Amino acid sequence: MPTASNGSVSLYYDRDGEGDPIVFVSAAGLGGWSWGWQHAALAGPAEVVVWDLRGTGRSDTPPGPYSLETLVDDLEAVLADCEIRKAHLVGCGLGGAIALRAARDSSRVETLTLFGTAASGDAYDLEPLFAPPTDREALRESLSAGLSADFLEAQSDVLEGIVDWRADGDADREGWAAQVAALEEFDAGDWLVEVTQPTRVIHGSEDQLVAPSAGQTLARGLPRGEYIELEGAGHLCFIERSRTVNDRLVGWLEPAADE
C-alpha cells in the first residue's frame, strides 16, 4: 500500500497510468472513491494520483482540528513521494481550497480544476453531506445533499455502490470535523491574484453546499479563471456528469499548460 509521510502522519495514495500527472484532492470527509469515475477514464492518457486526506479512509487520523496549511503540506508530501515536479490539481470543496492554497504556495502546480469551490470558508455548508460510515441509511439519505434529485432517481443502482464505498472509505465524525475546521479561517480574497495558473471553476447549478454564485465570484477573482456551470447537477457534479467532465479534463489539461 503506497503511503507518503508528513511527520508522523501516514497518507495513503493510489497511483496509476503514465503521462502528465493529475492529482485529485477530495471533498471533506469523502474518500478517494469519489474520483473513481475520473480515475478509470484518465489513468492511461495521464498519470492519476488519488489520496485520502488525513482523517479519511486509509490515511491516519491524528487529533484535530487541522489547518489548511497542514493539509497543503500533506499534498506536498504526496507529490514529493510520487516525485511529481508539476501536476494538474483537481479538487472539490475543501479539496478545492487546498488546491488553491497549494497553487499559491507551491511551484508544483500546473493548472487547477475546482468543483464546488468558494474563496472563503463562510460560503461552505458541508454538514448535510456528512454521515457516519457505520450508518448505511444515513449515508444513502445524505447523498441528496451532494447529488441532484434527477440523478438520485435515475441512478438508484449506482447509489448502492456509492453507499458501499462511503461505508468503506469515508471519514468518521472526528475526522470530518477536523478537516472542516481548516475552512473556518479560510479567506483567499486578498491573495487570489497570486494564483496565476489557468483555473477552471466548475459548479453544478443545483449545488446545495456551495452556491454557484460563490464559484462565479471565485472565477472572477482569479487572473486566469474561467467559470463553467453544469445545468441541473449538484455539488458532486463530477460524478453526475462524469463523461462531460472527463472529456473536458482530457481536452483542457495539455492546452492549458501551454497558455
Side-chain angles (χ1 to χ4, degrees):
M1 183 173 80
T3 59
S5 297
N6 184 7
S8 62
V9 176
S10 178
L11 303 161
Y12 169 83
Y13 66 85
D14 181 73
R15 185 183 189 188
D16 194 14
E18 299 179 357
D20 288 348
I22 306 175
V23 179
F24 292 87
V25 193
S26 298
L30 299 188
W33 66 264
S34 58
W35 300 109
W37 289 260
Q38 283 67 52
H39 188 168
L42 300 177
E47 177 186 10
V48 172
V49 177
V50 177
W51 59 292
D52 290 338
L53 302 186
R54 65 170 63 204
T56 303
R58 288 162 285 188
S59 291
D60 288 346
T61 305
Y66 308 150
S67 68
L68 193 66
E69 290 80 2
T70 295
L71 297 177
V72 172
D73 287 345
D74 287 348
L75 171 59
E76 178 72 16
V78 171
L79 294 174
D81 199 73
C82 292
E83 298 182 340
I84 292 175
R85 187 180 65 84
K86 286 282 191 179
H88 303 286
L89 293 188
V90 181
C92 176
L94 171 62
I98 295 168
L100 266 176
R101 186 61 178 266
R104 189 197 76 166
D105 295 346
S106 172
S107 62
R108 296 184 190 266
V109 181
E110 191 78 42
T111 68
L112 293 171
T113 302
L114 309 176
F115 296 95
T117 300
S120 62
D122 58 7
Y124 294 80
D125 179 20
L126 305 181
E127 173 71 29
L129 187 56
F130 173 77
T134 55
D135 188 338
R136 290 184 61 86
E137 186 58 31
L139 289 171
R140 186 179 296 105
E141 291 180 357
S142 66
L143 286 172
S144 63
L147 299 166
S148 69
D150 287 346
F151 183 85
L152 293 170
E153 181 178 353
Q155 302 290 336
S156 58
D157 55 336
V158 175
L159 298 183
E160 290 310 306
I162 291 176
V163 171
D164 289 340
W165 295 323
R166 295 192 73 187
D168 183 57
D170 277 8
D172 61 15
R173 171 61 76 174
E174 179 183 4
W176 180 87
Q179 291 176 11
V180 170
L183 290 171
E184 290 181 359
E185 303 300 324
F186 174 58
D187 187 350
D190 291 339
W191 50 261
L192 278 184
V193 294
E194 300 174 40
V195 179
T196 57
Q197 295 89 338
T199 302
R200 281 82 181 198
V201 179
I202 305 177
H203 235 89
S205 67
E206 304 305 310
D207 192 329
Q208 301 178 42
L209 307 183
V210 181
S213 59
Q216 294 169 359
T217 299
L218 170 61
R220 286 196 299 268
L222 290 161
R224 301 173 74 182
E226 175 186 4
Y227 179 78
I228 297 149
E229 191 161 293
L230 299 181
E231 184 64 32
H235 186 65
L236 305 178
C237 58
F238 51 92
I239 294 177
E240 292 193 43
R241 304 293 172 81
S242 60
R243 181 173 298 179
T244 297
V245 166
N246 294 343
D247 287 347
R248 287 180 169 174
L249 284 174
V250 169
W252 286 341
L253 292 176
E254 291 186 4
D258 296 331
E259 289 178 10

PDB file of all heavy atoms in Angstrom, residues 37 55 76 133 136 140 172:
ATOM      1  N   TRP A  37     -14.701   7.741 -11.072  1.00  0.00           N
ATOM      2  CA  TRP A  37     -15.119   7.924 -12.455  1.00  0.00           C
ATOM      3  C   TRP A  37     -14.013   8.587 -13.276  1.00  0.00           C
ATOM      4  O   TRP A  37     -13.829   8.289 -14.450  1.00  0.00           O
ATOM      5  CB  TRP A  37     -16.397   8.756 -12.510  1.00  0.00           C
ATOM      6  CG  TRP A  37     -17.604   8.025 -12.026  1.00  0.00           C
ATOM      7  CD1 TRP A  37     -18.567   7.415 -12.792  1.00  0.00           C
ATOM      8  CD2 TRP A  37     -17.995   7.824 -10.656  1.00  0.00           C
ATOM      9  NE1 TRP A  37     -19.525   6.848 -11.981  1.00  0.00           N
ATOM     10  CE2 TRP A  37     -19.211   7.080 -10.667  1.00  0.00           C
ATOM     11  CE3 TRP A  37     -17.457   8.184  -9.423  1.00  0.00           C
ATOM     12  CZ2 TRP A  37     -19.875   6.698  -9.505  1.00  0.00           C
ATOM     13  CZ3 TRP A  37     -18.107   7.805  -8.260  1.00  0.00           C
ATOM     14  CH2 TRP A  37     -19.301   7.076  -8.316  1.00  0.00           C
ATOM     15  N   GLY A  55      -7.396  11.907   8.238  1.00  0.00           N
ATOM     16  CA  GLY A  55      -8.732  11.837   8.832  1.00  0.00           C
ATOM     17  C   GLY A  55      -9.705  11.029   8.003  1.00  0.00           C
ATOM     18  O   GLY A  55     -10.857  10.854   8.417  1.00  0.00           O
ATOM     19  N   GLU A  76       1.730  18.291  -0.512  1.00  0.00           N
ATOM     20  CA  GLU A  76       3.130  18.416  -0.918  1.00  0.00           C
ATOM     21  C   GLU A  76       3.886  17.121  -0.637  1.00  0.00           C
ATOM     22  O   GLU A  76       4.718  16.683  -1.451  1.00  0.00           O
ATOM     23  CB  GLU A  76       3.779  19.583  -0.170  1.00  0.00           C
ATOM     24  CG  GLU A  76       5.255  19.795  -0.457  1.00  0.00           C
ATOM     25  CD  GLU A  76       5.535  20.351  -1.846  1.00  0.00           C
ATOM     26  OE1 GLU A  76       4.601  20.857  -2.487  1.00  0.00           O
ATOM     27  OE2 GLU A  76       6.704  20.269  -2.277  1.00  0.00           O
ATOM     28  N   PRO A 133     -19.914   6.511   8.696  1.00  0.00           N
ATOM     29  CA  PRO A 133     -19.690   5.375   7.789  1.00  0.00           C
ATOM     30  C   PRO A 133     -20.371   4.088   8.247  1.00  0.00           C
ATOM     31  O   PRO A 133     -20.582   3.184   7.428  1.00  0.00           O
ATOM     32  CB  PRO A 133     -18.163   5.225   7.795  1.00  0.00           C
ATOM     33  CG  PRO A 133     -17.641   6.552   8.196  1.00  0.00           C
ATOM     34  CD  PRO A 133     -18.650   7.120   9.141  1.00  0.00           C
ATOM     35  N   ARG A 136     -25.552   2.973   7.127  1.00  0.00           N
ATOM     36  CA  ARG A 136     -25.791   2.927   5.691  1.00  0.00           C
ATOM     37  C   ARG A 136     -26.996   3.771   5.279  1.00  0.00           C
ATOM     38  O   ARG A 136     -26.976   4.418   4.231  1.00  0.00           O
ATOM     39  CB  ARG A 136     -25.986   1.481   5.232  1.00  0.00           C
ATOM     40  CG  ARG A 136     -24.722   0.637   5.288  1.00  0.00           C
ATOM     41  CD  ARG A 136     -24.981  -0.755   4.728  1.00  0.00           C
ATOM     42  NE  ARG A 136     -25.404  -0.718   3.342  1.00  0.00           N
ATOM     43  CZ  ARG A 136     -24.570  -0.689   2.306  1.00  0.00           C
ATOM     44  NH1 ARG A 136     -23.264  -0.689   2.512  1.00  0.00           N
ATOM     45  NH2 ARG A 136     -25.035  -0.685   1.061  1.00  0.00           N
ATOM     46  N   ARG A 140     -26.916   6.908   2.662  1.00  0.00           N
ATOM     47  CA  ARG A 140     -27.776   6.978   1.480  1.00  0.00           C
ATOM     48  C   ARG A 140     -28.576   8.287   1.479  1.00  0.00           C
ATOM     49  O   ARG A 140     -28.639   8.986   0.456  1.00  0.00           O
ATOM     50  CB  ARG A 140     -28.721   5.779   1.459  1.00  0.00           C
ATOM     51  CG  ARG A 140     -29.568   5.675   0.183  1.00  0.00           C
ATOM     52  CD  ARG A 140     -30.465   4.451   0.233  1.00  0.00           C
ATOM     53  NE  ARG A 140     -29.699   3.200   0.249  1.00  0.00           N
ATOM     54  CZ  ARG A 140     -29.521   2.428   1.326  1.00  0.00           C
ATOM     55  NH1 ARG A 140     -30.055   2.778   2.495  1.00  0.00           N
ATOM     56  NH2 ARG A 140     -28.825   1.327   1.247  1.00  0.00           N
ATOM     57  N   ASP A 172     -15.003   9.356   9.728  1.00  0.00           N
ATOM     58  CA  ASP A 172     -15.979   9.390  10.812  1.00  0.00           C
ATOM     59  C   ASP A 172     -16.153  10.836  11.262  1.00  0.00           C
ATOM     60  O   ASP A 172     -15.538  11.758  10.702  1.00  0.00           O
ATOM     61  CB  ASP A 172     -15.560   8.467  11.963  1.00  0.00           C
ATOM     62  CG  ASP A 172     -14.217   8.858  12.592  1.00  0.00           C
ATOM     63  OD1 ASP A 172     -13.722   9.989  12.353  1.00  0.00           O
ATOM     64  OD2 ASP A 172     -13.668   8.030  13.333  1.00  0.00           O
TER      65      ASP A 172
END
